[in-house]
Each structure stands twice: as C-alpha cells, then as structure tokens.
Amino acid sequence: MDISALLTSAGINIGLCVVLLLLYSLLRKQPSNLSVYFGRRLAQERPKRIDSLCFHRFVPSPSWIVKAWETSEEEILSVGGLDAVVFIRILVFSLRVFSIAAFVCIFLVLPVNYYGQEMHHKEIPYESLEVFTIGNVKAGSKWLWAHCLALYIISCSACLLLYFEYKSIANMRLAHIKASAPNPSYFTVLVRSIPSSREESYSDAVEKFFSNYYLLTYLGHQMVYRSGTVQKLMEVAAAFVFFKTRYAAVVASQILQSSNPMLWVTDLAPEPHDVYWSNLCIPFKQLWIRKIATLIATIVFMFLFLIPVTFVQGLTQLDQLHHSFPFLRGLLKKKYMNQLVTGYLPSVILMLFLYTVPPTMMLFSAVEGCISRSGRKKSACRKVLYFMIWNVFFVNVLSGSVISQLNVISSPKDIPAQLARAVPTQASFFMTYIFTSGWASLSSEVMQPLALLWNLIRRLIFRKKDDLSDKPLSFPYHIEVPRVLVFGLLGFTFSILAPLMLPFLLAYFLLAFLVYRNQILNVYMPKYESGGQLWPTVHNTTIFSLVLMQIIALGVFGVKRSPVASGFTIPLVICTLLFTEYCRQRFHPIFKNNAAQMLIDMDREDEQSGKMEEIHRQLRSAYCQFSPSFHDSCKPDQSDNGESIQDPEDKKPGEDSNKVNEPLALHLHIESKEPVEK
C-alpha cells in the first residue's frame, strides 16, 4: 500500500467521523432523544426540557466536547464509580506513553527508516509505506542503535507510568472500600454445595452448621431459590450466610469448611445488585465441567474465526486477488478501486465479523457459572481480549505474509524471526484497522445507532412518549476494555517498526478520552461496583505488549545482523519481567483480598458509633432475590399438601419443617445470637 491509499482510507473515516459527530451534536439537543443520549441523567435527575423553538437546537456545537474535557476525576468517580475512573485511567496512560513514543520515534526512528537504504525516493503521496518501516533499513546498519535507544525510552517510560498508575489505583480502591457506605457483601458469605439430608431441610442444615461452628459470629442466613413456571419455588443447595462483622465473614469465606472440599463451599458474596441469581442454582459439582466445556468452545470459536481473517488478509494482497479472481483484474486496475479494496475494505469486513465476538463470549461466561454480573463481565472481557490478541494480531500477522501457510511457526526458537519478518509488512493493514475499528467505532458509540433506531420505532409505531420507559444501559467494559488494550498492543509492537502509525493512534486515544467521558456522564449508569478489579488485567496485558515489542525487536535486530542491539535488548526483557513480578507482589493482593487491618478498624468504628445494629437490621432485606410483586404472587396461603405454612420460629417443639418446598420468606432467618456467659 502506498501513502495515497492510506490517505484514502483515512479520508473516508475522518469524513465519516466528522459527519456523525456533527449529527450527534444536533440529535442530542432534540427532546425526543433524551432517553437515548441522557439515559443516566434521566434515571437520576430530571434534566430541563429544551424549548422546541430554540434556535441553538438546530446548530451543531462542541459544548459536549468542552464538558467532557473539563469534567474532573472526582465527578467521574461520583457518577460512574471507581470502575469508570479506572477505564478513563487506561486512556490517560495510553495518551501519555504514546505521546512519548510518538515524539521519540517520529523524530529519531522515522528518518532512519526512510533513509535506511540508498535509493531514489518518489514523491511522498506515491511512496510505499514499507519505506517508512524498519524493513527499509539495510542489514548491518549502524543506525539500528536509534531503534534500540527508542526501545529503551518507551519501555522505561511505560514501566514508570504503569507503576504510578497501579499505586494510585490501589490507593483509590482502599479509600473506596473504607469510605463507602456499609456494604452488605462485606458481612455476607455465599455458601454452596450444602449437603442434602432426608432428615432436615437445607435451611436447617445451614442453621445447624453455622450455629455450631460460628456460634459467636453467625447472624443468620437466607436461602437461594430456583424459580420457574413448572417448579415454582424449589429448594437450592445454596444460601447467603450473614455474620456480625466484616472480619468474621472474610475468615469464613477463605477457610476450608469441611474435610470434603466439595461440600460447604464458601465465597465472599457479591454486592446485592451484582448477584447473578440464575447461576446460583447451578450445582457446584457441575462448575468444573462447565469451565472445561466453555474453554473448548472458546478455542473452537477462535479457530473458526480463521476463515474470515484469512479472507480479509487475501484482500490486502493484490497479486493474490488477481490469481484467485481473474475476472476482477480489469476492475482492480482502476486506481481508486485498488485503493478502496486493499486499503479500506479488509478492515471494515474484519470489524463487522468482530461484532459477533463480545456477545458470544458473554454467553460463554454465563454458561461458565459466574456468581456475579461483574465476574461474568470480567470473564467475558478476558475472553474477548485473548480472542482479539490472537485473531486480530497474531493470525493477521502470521497468515498475512503467506496466505497458503497457516502453520508458519515451525519451532519456538523461530518465533522472534518469524514475527520480525511478518510484523512490519502488516503495518498498512493495522493502520486502516485503527481507522475503521477505532475512529469509526467511537463515532458510532457516541451516536448510539441501535438505541436511536429503537427510540424512533417506540415513538412512531408504539406511540410511547415516556422517556423513562427504558432502563439506562450499563457500560460495556467487556467490549471497550479489550479494544483499547489491543490498540495499545499495536502501538507498542509497531512503535519502532512503523512509527507512522503513532499519530493515528494518538488521535484515537484522544477522541476516545472525550467520547467515553461524555458517555459515562450522560448515557451509562453503573449497576454495580467491582472496585476497579479490571486494572490487574490491564497491567498484565500492557506488560505482555511490552515484552512482545521487545521480543519482536530482538528478532528484527537478529535479522538485520546487529549483535550489539540484540545484546542490549535481552537485559531489557529480563528487567521488564522482574518489574511486573514486583508489581504482582506489591499491588495485586490489594485487588484480590481485603486487608484484615482495614476490616477490623471499620468494624470497631461501626460498633463504637452504634451503627452495627442498624447494619444487622439492613441485612434482613439486602439480598432480595425476587421483586415484591413476584414474591406476593408466589407466596401461597397453603402449602402443596394443604397444610398451612408457619414461620419456623412459631413451630411447636418437635414439629418437622417442610423438606421439599419451603416458602421464600421463611428462610430470611436472621437472629441475634449472643454468646453464652459462663
């Protein structure tokens, strides 16, 4: 691909972005679109209605850009929670590190690449993109020290920025836990795989077990139910067990409860709005089978995706197209068609296929058995991330060089050399990928085309005028976090190989910073809070990108026969791995477990201030599995065998409880159990 083809692709996407952003600035001012572009604000505050005769409603304005830019991090935290702040921090980190990379590589590396060989250069619009890559530097060149120096500057800057971000977000997480209102999940343990018995119900078994072994700290429990049109309300071998203190709940959640690890399995409960109720009904013994099955399904789906990726890569190679489709030769001889097919169409097709990935991975994560919505989204985020790294980067790189050979890696020791030869040749494809999957997707994100279409149908066909009829959306972290991290991977791996990519990448991160802040402020409403637990995934992925960049550089220096540059790169890889191990030891435990010191201090503060009794009372209704209307309709006056239903506390001594179908309200069984004085 030459510069003119790249500019054609860039021009199409820039024009599309500008049109959509101008259209958005008009549509967001129309009163009929409030539910589309101000869903969060409609749910929390009623915005002022815009006068239908106002002139400014029909004039595009950058006011939303100014508002998004001026919004402070404290406002983002109060509106979107810590998870939203962490996501914005990903973009800020990317802007900082790639600004440094762009400055170093544009002024130091790019001239070395362009003048790497003695040749007669064409005019810039007709130059091939390969003359701007490291592939244009002749073997044995002494100028490769510039690439090695840039590699050190980028790696050290990234590690330094990562350290400060990890430290800052870890402190924010600790402050969030300590300053937040008393969270029922800190006092609650989810117990699964409760042993079944013919002599007693699950509820009685839970009461007996925890009263016996946690006499001083056990507060009560609430059973989990399976709802259905056939089974109605049945008994499930799972329960929420409440404790008197946060520390007692954490201890109970982390120790082995029984000599049989498959019984009385405990985990710290998710917060009430985060519970994924349908998965609590899955028998615990099925979970390992489900995890294996979803892993196999994910791998199969990844390999099936090779078909569209291979087809897309075929479009980028003009010679291959002439050979496979002879009837297109006349059409492809036209310059504009050549530029459109090879420069724009491949990345568009790949982007359309990639739209099927997030919902598929979300389904796999649900089948896997996650007990929380945030856990399901976090699992889907990782699956989408691994999928995109493999299919967007590695498959495109390795199959793009020789389409007929999918197995290009003959042995592990050849990986750096294979990547060194293949990666620079794919710079043009990934530049156009940034345009289509980056710039265009951001303009589509701010436009919300599906929500806009549904709003139009709802108003014109169903004649509904109420803006509050639709619930606001939650932020799609499982879609946007992998996309941003993959762009970060491209930025690191191509920074010294093809520096021309960095300005386009910086434009994406800047636009993303504005668009996502606007969406968090106006559109998306958080339904739960994970406390920034996505950051360790972000950190590990960034370290992977750095190490991959260094390994590819090591291979390139070997191919270019520069032993000095290769020798200096090896210590850089080792130091990067040591750095990430230090961060794993220093910061990762904060995101995995809560500190006993902090929990005990919080318990003491609540006890001294007299808040603990109120917290215990609130636990009685915290985990409400069914809505009040559903509960009223499902609560019969009599049991299935015709006997009246009693509260267990009102039963006569010696009277048996219902062993099969136990009413929902009766198992919200919370008592204050004082220790027996000796």
Side-chain angles (χ1 to χ4, degrees), residues 622-646:
Y623 289 88
C624 184
Q625 184 172 358
F626 304 105
S627 62
S629 59
F630 182 88
H631 174 267
D632 294 339
S633 64
C634 293
K635 184 178 178 182
D637 293 330
Q638 292 188 341
S639 62
D640 291 340
N641 57 10
E643 299 177 358
S644 61
I645 295 176
Q646 299 177 346

Side-chain angles (χ1 to χ4, degrees), residues 189 248-257 266-268 592-594:
V189 171
V250 169
V251 171
S253 68
Q254 294 182 354
I255 64 174
L256 194 64
Q257 303 295 333
T266 54
D267 295 286
L268 201 61
K592 189 176 182 181
N593 299 308
N594 294 327

Side-chain angles (χ1 to χ4, degrees), residues 277-351:
W277 290 99
S278 59
N279 275 7
L280 298 186
C281 303
I282 300 174
F284 182 78
K285 295 180 180 179
Q286 286 186 11
L287 292 181
W288 69 275
I289 301 176
R290 287 171 171 262
K291 290 181 180 179
I292 294 175
T294 53
L295 176 61
I296 295 173
T298 303
I299 294 174
V300 170
F301 183 63
M302 290 174 67
F303 278 98
L304 286 177
F305 210 81
L306 289 175
I307 299 173
V309 172
T310 305
F311 171 74
V312 164
Q313 278 300 324
L315 294 178
T316 64
Q317 300 183 15
L318 194 60
D319 295 338
Q320 188 74 16
L321 283 174
H322 287 166
H323 178 74
S324 302
F325 305 99
F327 59 90
L328 293 178
R329 290 180 181 176
L331 186 63
L332 293 176
K333 286 182 180 179
K334 298 179 180 179
K335 185 176 181 180
Y336 70 92
M337 286 300 301
N338 183 4
Q339 294 175 352
L340 180 65
V341 172
T342 62
Y344 183 71
L345 194 59
S347 54
V348 171
I349 295 176
L350 181 61
M351 184 186 69

